[in-house]
């Protein structure tokens, strides 16, 4: 157990625990936001675990999650567009907090790793994670309905 | 399709191909000749797909 693994455990336990609670309870607008946040919180945890175990190859898991998490949210946003248009979620603070958490983790890991291919990979993962979540969050709060209106 | 359109298509596919090849090289762990060949081939397929997808979205 080192500091990386400890941070990852706390982040995964508290963050993903909270999102599971959010997905399982409450109205639809809260559930979809929690579903979107689950990948935004789990991905930095996987990055930290990869650093903690000293296995850069484990970064691929975080890359996959950063790519597929927002894609999954977009599917939900599309399928539930009508329900969400009637009661749209507003989760700007949560989205920005998750994006900030991801950015801090990626930047710290970049600083530790130093320049090289691994750092480039980390930056790609960070861009996918933050960009994907911002786009998915915007789609949840009415992006699809707005685009349908033209 | 005239020469100018062809040039634009080639330029677009080339752009996608360069970006995707770079991405492939960043994401793999060991960069040798075989990886370059495989990556460049996969990136070419991806570049054609990306252009098709962009046209499909643009035509909406």
């Amino acid at each position: 157990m080192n500091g990386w693994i400890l941070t990852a455990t706390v982040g995964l336990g508290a963050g993903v625990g909270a999102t599971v609670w959010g997905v399982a309870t409450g109205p639809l607008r809260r559930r979809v936001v929690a579903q979107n946040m689950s990948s935004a919180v789990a991905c930095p945890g996987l990055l930290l675990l990869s650093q903690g175990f000293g296995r850069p190859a484990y970064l691929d898991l975080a890359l996959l999650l950063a790519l597929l998490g927002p894609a999954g949210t977009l599917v939900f946003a599309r399928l539930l567009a009508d329900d969400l248009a009637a009661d749209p979620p507003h989760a700007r603070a949560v989205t920005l907090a998750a994006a900030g958490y991801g950015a801090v983790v990626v930047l710290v890991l970049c600083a530790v790793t130093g320049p090289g291919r691994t750092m480039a990979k980390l930056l790609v993962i960070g861009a996918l994670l933050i960009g994907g979540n911002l786009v998915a969050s915007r789609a949840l709060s009415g992006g699809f309905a707005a685009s349908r209106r033209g | 399709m005239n020469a100018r359109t062809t040039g634009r298509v080639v330029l677009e596919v080339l752009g996608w191909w360069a970006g995707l090849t770079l991405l492939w090289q960043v994401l793999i762990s060991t960069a040798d000749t075989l990886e370059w060949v495989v990556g460049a081939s996969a990136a070419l397929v991806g570049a054609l797909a990306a252009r098709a997808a962009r046209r499909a979205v643009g035509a909406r």
Side-chain angles (χ1 to χ4, degrees):
Chain A
M1 177 72 92
N2 53 34
W4 303 110
I5 300 181
L6 186 67
T7 315
T9 309
V10 171
L12 284 175
V16 177
T19 57
V20 168
W21 175 254
V23 167
T25 61
L28 175 68
R29 65 168 190 275
R30 195 179 121 187
R31 293 179 187 230
V32 288
V33 169
Q35 185 275 330
N36 185 30
M37 285 303 114
S38 61
S39 67
V41 170
C43 183
L46 291 174
L47 291 175
L48 289 169
L49 283 180
S50 160
Q51 177 72 24
F53 291 128
R55 297 280 182 90
Y58 289 3
L59 288 177
D60 289 356
L61 270 179
L63 172 65
L64 212 61
L65 193 62
L67 200 62
L68 295 184
T73 302
L74 287 179
V75 173
F76 279 114
R78 179 69 186 85
L79 290 178
L80 301 171
D82 293 336
D83 297 312
L84 290 172
D87 188 14
H90 298 287
R92 181 179 290 265
V94 185
T95 305
L96 290 180
Y101 172 52
V104 167
V105 168
V106 168
L107 289 179
V108 168
L109 289 178
C110 281
V112 171
T113 311
R117 301 163 60 83
T118 313
M119 183 170 163
K121 191 170 176 175
L122 277 169
L123 289 174
V124 169
I125 295 174
L128 279 173
L129 174 68
I130 295 170
N133 269 294
L134 292 181
V135 168
S137 198
R138 188 170 173 278
L140 282 180
S141 54
F144 275 107
S147 73
R148 196 176 294 167
R149 278 198 302 271
Chain B
M1 188 184 280
N2 57 27
R4 199 173 155 184
T5 323
T6 313
R8 223 163 35 199
V9 170
V10 169
L11 208 67
E12 183 186 346
V13 171
L14 208 65
W16 282 112
W17 175 81
L20 290 173
T21 307
L22 188 72
L23 191 66
W24 180 287
Q25 290 300 319
V26 165
L27 295 182
I28 58 175
S29 52
T30 48
D32 52 14
T33 315
L34 181 64
E35 282 287 359
W36 270 105
V37 173
V38 173
S41 314
L44 186 61
V45 176
L48 294 173
R51 177 168 188 275
R54 194 193 60 75
R55 286 190 68 202
V57 172
R60 188 173 53 182

